[in-house]
Amino acid sequence: MSMDAIKMLQGKKILLGVSGSIAAYKAATLIRLLVKEGAEVKVVMTTAAAGFITPLTLATLSKNEVPLNISDHNSWNNHVMLGRWADVMLIAPASANTLAKMALGLCDNLLLAVYLSATCPVLFAPAMDEDMWHHPATRSNVDKLISFGHQQIPVESGELASGLFGEGRMAEPEQILTFLQQHFQQKNGRKALNGTTAIVTAGPTIEHIDPVRYISNHSSGKMGIAIAEALADAGANVQLVLGPTSQKTTHPGITVTHVQTAQEMFDAVTTRYPAAGIVVAAAAVADYRPANVADKKIKKGEAQLHIDLEKTPDILRSLGDNKGPQQLLVGFSLETNNEKEYALKKLRDKNLDLIVMNSLADTGAGFNYDTNKVTLFDKNGNERSFPLKSKQAVAQDIVSAIIELQHA
């Protein structure tokens, strides 16, 4: 963690809302982390949350009284002031019940009274079982809260209180801490990647057979463009090297260079590489190209047509071989079998700092979808799996991992 990231929470006023979920036990660790970073923390709880962790525990850790009811500790008057006191209100865990009440504007407990009175930004970290998380009502409530301008801290996948394994786990306290730091960095105009030059490759390449035919693949470029936009949102100056696709970006922080072939992409990236601090190779580059390109359209003739193929330049290997000590290199691994084995091998062989693995076996992941499901492996041996999300949300997860590696 960089010193700049640590200073982001110094003196910040964090209002933590704890609702009724088994994940309430994580509030103790979260409070300790926030206090250690120099934040001032006040806590409001629901009575249901007090069944999982005591107000006394959270009061001791935060060094502030923890009211439960609207009448406690002059809360009838103070709930409005609490909402005005905070720099940010963080609701963690946010149960399905609390999310629903927030979306509807209900106000039957102190936490909700404070929420409705809050004039500060609101962040929420959902926590519930997988079926509850995927229920259309929950999805609608979350979308509505995001439309209010609130920020959702992504759920994680893992073992749930029900004993099942799936999505819905609250983010770990360390992840929530990082999310808060990034929130204040952006609010203060000190974005995490200010001044960093990033190269992103996206889309397919095409390899010509003759003037009208070519070899290509189904990549749409959506994932790479989403990553370029997320990097630009974090303050990076992004050079997007984009293969032939109908997808576009109008982000002012992105300069687009259009290419067609693997050789053109190799040349564009290689030229820009010395000045780059980050490279994300998200393009689906053709591995082979015709050894000889016909200068005229090949006419239909024999029953079979044989085309000799040769390897295209290995862009990622070249970047890894020439990587400087301050450069961070991210690759992708899209597989149909033995996904983890191949991803880790690619991470080692091509000298990557981070690899993004996804599988065509996962429904809703891969080419042409608006969603993706990824697992991240970094050079330090860390593995992090995420549920199926929009490609914009996946891009945020990838950029967060990049920022963490930069600040490690």
Side-chain angles (χ1 to χ4, degrees), residues 128-141:
M128 64 199 72
D129 210 75
E130 182 175 36
D131 293 333
M132 298 171 71
W133 175 244
H134 287 297
H135 194 283
T138 303
R139 307 309 312 145
S140 176
N141 290 333

Side-chain angles (χ1 to χ4, degrees), residues 310-323:
E310 63 183 11
K311 283 188 174 182
T312 58
D314 191 330
I315 299 173
L316 201 54
R317 182 177 294 279
S318 175
L319 297 177
D321 288 345
N322 294 284
K323 186 176 68 173

Side-chain angles (χ1 to χ4, degrees), residues 37 50 56 89 165 177 261 338 366 371:
E37 299 298 334
L56 178 60
M89 184 175 188
F165 188 95
L177 180 71
T261 67
N338 299 328
T371 54

Side-chain angles (χ1 to χ4, degrees), residues 362-383:
D362 291 325
T363 303
F367 294 148
N368 286 315
Y369 289 102
D370 292 325
T371 54
N372 207 356
K373 182 178 181 181
V374 304
T375 299
L376 306 183
F377 301 94
D378 69 31
K379 63 181 180 181
N380 301 319
N382 298 311
E383 175 181 346

Side-chain angles (χ1 to χ4, degrees), residues 292-311:
N292 298 292
V293 179
D295 58 358
K296 296 180 180 179
K297 180 183 175 183
I298 299 172
K299 295 297 183 180
K300 187 189 303 183
E302 300 296 328
Q304 294 182 341
L305 174 66
H306 296 279
I307 300 174
D308 291 328
L309 300 177
E310 63 183 11
K311 283 188 174 182

Side-chain angles (χ1 to χ4, degrees), residues 182 186 191-194 198 200 222-238 249 251 253-254 278 280 391-403:
Q182 292 176 11
Q186 293 184 11
K191 297 183 178 181
L193 297 178
N194 270 355
V200 178
K222 291 178 181 178
M223 190 70 255
I225 290 173
I227 292 170
E229 291 176 340
L231 286 167
D233 286 342
N237 301 314
V238 180
T249 180
H251 197 296
I254 299 175
I278 298 168
V280 181
K391 285 185 173 176
Q392 285 72 27
V394 173
Q396 292 292 340
D397 292 332
I398 293 169
V399 171
S400 292
I402 289 171
I403 292 169

